[in-house]
Amino acid sequence: MSILLLVSGVYFIGGKFRAANIASAASQLRGDWQAFTPERLQTELEQGHSVFVDFTAAWCLTCKFNEASVLESGAVREAFQRHAIVKLKADWTNGDPVITKLLQQFGRPGVPLYVLYPGKSEEPIVFPELLTKSTLLEKLETAPRTVASQ
C-alpha cells in the first residue's frame, strides 16, 4: 500500500513540476519583460540603463501576487516606461544555479527577490519580498532617466 502511495505521489508531483515548467516558459516574457542573463544585465548597465530584475518562479505564490497587484499595475508599468527602465525576469522555476548564486549574494534563500540597478556605478536597491506600489514607485523615481534599448 505504501509503495502505491509513493508512486502515485511521485506521478502527481512530477506532473505539477512539468506543468510549472511549461507555464513558466509561456509566461516568462509577457509584456515588455525580457529574459535575464548576467551578460544581459551587465550590457544594459554598461550602456547606462537602469535595470529592474524580478527573480521569480512559476510555483511561487508570493511572486504571482506581487506580479498581479504591483508589477503589472498601470501606475507601475507607466513608471517603468517613463524612466526607461529595462525589465528582466530571472526565472528560478527549475532552480537555475546562476540565479541561485545571485539569490545567495543578496542573502535570500529563494524567490521572490526584486532588485533595481539604478545605474552602472550605483548600489542596487533590494525590495522587500512583499511589494507595495508606493514603495516601488518611490524607488523608481530615484532612477536616472535614460533611453533604454527595447
Side-chain angles (χ1 to χ4, degrees), residues 12-105:
F12 288 112
I13 291 170
K16 293 279 187 213
F17 280 114
R18 282 189 294 280
N21 293 347
I22 292 166
S24 166
S27 67
Q28 183 177 1
L29 300 177
R30 267 197 326 234
D32 52 355
W33 290 92
Q34 300 168 41
F36 169 86
T37 64
E39 297 79 18
R40 177 66 189 265
L41 173 62
Q42 193 60 40
T43 299
E44 294 294 346
L45 293 175
E46 285 172 1
Q47 293 175 6
H49 301 150
S50 295
V51 180
F52 183 86
V53 183
D54 173 7
F55 293 84
T56 187
W59 42 260
C60 173
L61 296 178
T62 304
C63 302
K64 297 302 173 201
F65 176 81
N66 288 336
E67 189 175 299
S69 63
V70 178
L71 295 176
E72 294 304 323
S73 72
V76 170
R77 284 197 324 249
E78 193 275 328
F80 277 131
Q81 208 167 31
R82 185 174 67 250
H83 293 284
I85 295 172
V86 176
K87 301 187 312 184
L88 301 179
K89 250 193 214 299
D91 185 356
W92 199 54
T93 300
N94 298 319
D96 181 321
V98 172
I99 294 172
T100 301
K101 186 175 179 184
L102 281 168
L103 290 169
Q104 291 169 346
Q105 286 175 358

Side-chain angles (χ1 to χ4, degrees), residues 106-125:
F106 283 103
R108 294 282 175 87
V111 293
L113 172 64
Y114 307 98
V115 181
L116 174 63
Y117 294 85
K120 183 163 49 173
S121 58
E122 296 179 51
E123 285 296 310
I125 298 167

